[in-house]
Amino acid sequence: MRADLRPELLDRLYGRDEPGWSEWVGELSAAERDELESLLDVYLRELDGRDADRLAGLGVALGIDERARREVADGDYWDRIHALVWLALLRDAPDRSLLETHCRGTPRERAAAARVLYAAEVPDLATTGIDLLLEAEPRSFSVFGIDTLYRVSESDPAPLFDRAAADFETWEPALQQQVLLVTRHLHTVVGGADLSWVIGALSAPEPRVRAAAWRALDAYGWNRGLRDDIGIDPAADEPVPSVRASAYRTLGAWGDAEAVTALRTAAASEPDDRARVALAEALFPHRGPNDRVSARRDADGPADPFDVAWRWTSEHARFDGVARDISRRQPEGARR
C-alpha cells in the first residue's frame, strides 16, 4: 500500500495546482488511510515552509486535527501526548483554554503543549508559552522541555523574566538552574528587565544554582547597575570552586578592564586547580604583556600553581590554532 500511496501523495503535493486531498482520502479504504497517515507523519517531520503548510491539508482531510483535539480533551496521558505531537506537526494550535485545562499535569505535557504554540507561530507565543510552562507549580523539564522554554522565549524574553521575578524562589533547584541556563542563551536583551532574581540566585543555597546564575549574567556586562549590585570581587566569599569557576568565565565574557583586573587579582590567590584553569581560560583572550607566565621552576621549589594553569591554557590555545589552520587548508571533501 505504501508503494502505491507515496507517488500519488508526492504528485498531489508537487504536481498539481490543487492537491484535492479530501477527494483522494474519500476514495481510500480504512487500511489505506491508516498507511497514508503514517506517510504523512514521516513527511511532515522532513518538510518545512510552504510544502509543510500544503501537506498539512492532508491531515485535515484525514480528520487528524479534530481527532487530536478530542484526545487532548478526553484521552489519557499517552493519548494527549500523541495528539499534541500531531498538532505540532500540523502547525495547528487549538484554543488556549483547551491546552491550559488539560495539559498541565506533567512537565512533558506542558512542554508538548507549548511546542504546539511554537510550531503554529501564534501571535502571543511568549506570554502563552511561559504561562503553560511555568504557571501553577511547575517542575523541572527534560532536555526537550528546556529547548521549548528557550524557543518560546527567544523572540521576547520579557514574560520569562517577569515570571522568574515573581516565582523564582518557589521553584525547585533543578528548575531554577534550567531557567538560568535558558536566560544565559537568550540573545534578545530586554533593557529594562528585572534581573534582581538572577542576582538573588548568586546567594542560593544550591551551588549548581549559584553557578548557573553567574553564567546567566554572561550577556549583561554592559549593565552598570547590575554590576554595581554584584560587586567588584564577586568570587571572594564563594566557598565552592565550581561556582568560582563560573564567576571567572562570566568575567571573561564581560572582558572589560574592570573584569580583567578582577581576574588578575583572583589569579594570585585561587586555591583550586580546576578553578585556576577556568580562570586562566577566562583571562587568556584578554592577556597583555604582563600576563606572560613561564612556569619555570626556581631553585627553591615548584612554579607558582597559576603559572602551571596558564601554561596548560596556552598550550591548548596553541593546539586549537594549529588544528583550525590545518582544517582551513584542507579541501572541502577532506574536511567532511
Side-chain angles (χ1 to χ4, degrees), residues 47-81:
L47 299 177
D48 206 347
R50 180 177 176 275
D51 293 338
D53 293 338
R54 185 179 173 98
L55 191 57
L58 177 56
V60 175
L62 288 166
I64 297 173
D65 57 335
E66 291 303 322
R67 185 180 72 215
R69 283 169 167 78
R70 290 195 301 271
E71 290 178 345
V72 169
D74 303 323
D76 61 16
Y77 169 81
W78 291 110
D79 290 333
R80 285 193 298 276
I81 291 294

Side-chain angles (χ1 to χ4, degrees), residues 171-187:
W171 295 336
E172 61 181 342
L175 180 59
Q176 292 177 333
Q177 183 181 13
Q178 291 174 351
V179 171
L180 289 164
L181 173 63
V182 169
T183 300
R184 171 188 169 191
H185 290 283
L186 290 173
H187 299 300

Side-chain angles (χ1 to χ4, degrees), residues 87-142:
L87 291 172
L89 290 174
L90 295 172
R91 283 82 165 166
D92 182 10
D95 291 340
R96 172 175 173 171
S97 60
L98 182 69
L99 299 177
E100 290 179 335
T101 301
H102 299 285
C103 300
R104 292 186 186 276
T106 65
R108 185 173 182 178
E109 290 171 278
R110 289 172 180 258
R115 198 62 160 234
V116 172
L117 301 177
Y118 172 79
E121 299 180 349
V122 298
D124 59 344
L125 171 63
T127 300
T128 306
I130 292 302
D131 285 348
L132 275 170
L133 289 163
L134 296 176
E135 195 175 46
E137 300 181 359
R139 301 195 301 276
S140 59
F141 297 103
S142 65

Side-chain angles (χ1 to χ4, degrees), residues 21-33:
W21 299 126
S22 297
E23 177 187 354
W24 182 36
V25 168
E27 300 170 353
L28 301 176
S29 67
E32 288 172 323
R33 289 196 295 270

Side-chain angles (χ1 to χ4, degrees), residues 177-214:
Q177 183 181 13
Q178 291 174 351
V179 171
L180 289 164
L181 173 63
V182 169
T183 300
R184 171 188 169 191
H185 290 283
L186 290 173
H187 299 300
T188 306
V189 177
V190 180
D194 180 6
L195 294 176
S196 60
W197 59 278
V198 180
I199 297 174
L202 296 174
S203 303
E206 286 280 341
R208 57 177 171 161
V209 175
R210 299 200 300 274
W214 274 114

Side-chain angles (χ1 to χ4, degrees), residues 228-248:
D228 289 343
D229 289 340
I230 295 172
I232 187 62
D233 191 10
D237 299 323
E238 173 54 58
V240 179
S242 61
V243 181
R244 295 199 300 274
S246 290
Y248 298 146

